[in-house]
Amino acid sequence: MPRLPLSPIRTGGKAARISNQRLDVDGLSFEVHRSERRKTLQITVERSGELSIVAPLQAEHHQLIDFVQEKLVWIHTKIEEKSRLQQRAPIKEFVDGEGFLYLGKSYRLRLVDEQLVDLSLKNGRFCLRKMSAHRGREIFISWYTRRAQGWFEKQVAEQANRMGVEVEEVKVQDLGYRWGSFGTAGRVHFHWKAVLLPPRIAQYIVVHELAHGHHPDHSAGFWIKVEQHLPDWRWRKSWLAENGIQVEGI
Ligand SMILES: [Zn+2]
């Protein structure tokens, strides 16, 4: 992919002050994000099982510990739920009427006798050639990968410009449990499954990965960068942590 033009980095001073630290309670380790916009405490259990807590700037250490201890049962239930869900990703059968996600919407599958391509999306239906149905999984993955390539290239071109990040290559592939990655020399990778997510959630993944163009880690500066370009990133991140699991299986 051609090198994208570099635009000046915006230094909008309105971003909330966030400082990162870790909190360990009862053998559980939380990534702590502090924000002056935040009024209450919130715990998130990522699909990977990672834990984070968002706290108001002035919340004291012991308040965080008390909050975590109050929520221990809920946290352990969530952790178990996530690992159970990961184990039983729904297996697709590639039969008539089955629903398949694309950019957050579910489309029914129809098996068709004659079609020039293996798979098409038309009139709100996925049409899969009957004689190719036994290769359904492989066909869907390659369809999603192609669509994701176009979608993410476009998104990255727009956002990279705004965020002042130089991108050399956008590549869509199977990234295991990661939605995206920002590699050395401006290589941005996305999981093909990310194109199953609603666009606003997939956009968060784009901004998240591009922010790594400025900060390789998840430091305070990193989240400030995300917030500058996506002020409402928090609900998108939580949505992904809560619901991302559902796009797991194909
Ligand atoms: Zn990251």
Side-chain angles (χ1 to χ4, degrees):
M1 190 176 175
R3 183 182 288 251
L4 295 155
L6 189 70
S7 73
I9 299 159
R10 287 198 296 137
T11 48
K14 278 193 303 193
R17 270 197 295 139
I18 307 162
S19 74
N20 277 32
Q21 58 183 95
R22 289 208 78 85
L23 177 76
D24 294 295
V25 184
D26 248 34
L28 300 172
S29 185
F30 297 81
E31 199 175 333
V32 180
H33 306 284
R34 288 182 181 271
S35 162
E36 61 191 13
R37 292 193 186 167
R38 193 79 210 173
K39 298 276 180 281
T40 54
L41 293 161
Q42 192 197 344
I43 292 170
T44 306
V45 182
E46 306 284 347
R47 63 185 192 142
S48 56
E50 266 176 77
L51 304 166
S52 62
I53 178 163
V54 193
L57 221 48
Q58 67 280 7
E60 287 179 37
H61 190 70
H62 71 88
Q63 288 179 293
L64 300 194
I65 293 174
D66 288 350
F67 187 70
V68 168
Q69 271 166 349
E70 262 173 48
K71 300 273 181 189
L72 274 180
V73 173
W74 178 86
I75 295 165
H76 283 291
T77 309
K78 279 278 169 193
I79 293 173
E80 272 169 39
E81 221 171 80
K82 302 263 162 173
S83 71
R84 238 192 357 257
L85 277 168
Q86 281 194 350
Q87 282 159 16
R88 63 173 171 89
I91 303 293
K92 296 291 188 189
E93 293 174 88
F94 306 97
V95 292
D96 267 315
E98 204 172 11
F100 288 83
L101 285 169
Y102 174 54
L103 288 172
K105 288 192 194 136
S106 181
Y107 298 94
R108 293 249 168 128
L109 181 67
R110 178 188 282 163
L111 293 177
V112 294
D113 288 318
E114 284 181 37
Q115 189 173 245
L116 287 173
V117 290
D118 284 325
L119 181 67
S120 65
L121 177 59
K122 54 187 174 198
N123 305 324
R125 292 234 175 200
F126 273 116
C127 298
L128 178 64
R129 196 156 51 176
K130 214 173 260 174
M131 58 183 270
S132 312
H134 65 286
R135 291 189 297 116
R137 188 182 143 76
E138 177 197 320
I139 290 167
F140 262 91
I141 290 175
S142 112
W143 189 92
Y144 283 134
T145 304
R146 279 198 312 277
R147 290 296 181 109
Q149 186 69 41
W151 197 87
F152 281 102
E153 270 180 16
K154 192 162 172 276
Q155 289 291 322
V156 167
E158 283 169 21
Q159 299 293 343
N161 211 10
R162 284 177 62 220
M163 295 177 71
V165 177
E166 256 182 277
V167 173
E168 286 291 339
E169 185 193 38
V170 175
K171 199 170 175 204
V172 172
Q173 61 187 87
D174 192 325
L175 294 179
Y177 284 116
R178 285 177 312 163
W179 290 109
S181 73
F182 190 95
T184 49
R187 287 194 183 86
V188 197
H189 292 187
F190 297 98
H191 199 307
W192 57 262
K193 278 180 190 167
V195 83
L196 278 68
L197 296 165
R200 292 211 280 175
I201 306 302
Q203 271 158 6
Y204 160 72
I205 299 173
V206 171
V207 171
H208 180 118
E209 295 313 331
L210 292 178
H212 281 312
H214 293 284
H215 305 275
D217 48 17
H218 294 130
S219 60
F222 169 84
W223 292 109
I224 287 169
K225 181 56 69 184
V226 171
E227 183 141 339
Q228 272 174 6
H229 295 281
L230 209 61
D232 63 349
W233 61 275
R234 281 191 183 80
W235 76 260
R236 304 188 201 218
K237 181 177 187 282
S238 312
W239 193 99
L240 189 59
E242 294 283 324
N243 307 291
I245 199 96
Q246 286 168 10
V247 307
E248 204 70 43
I250 144 136

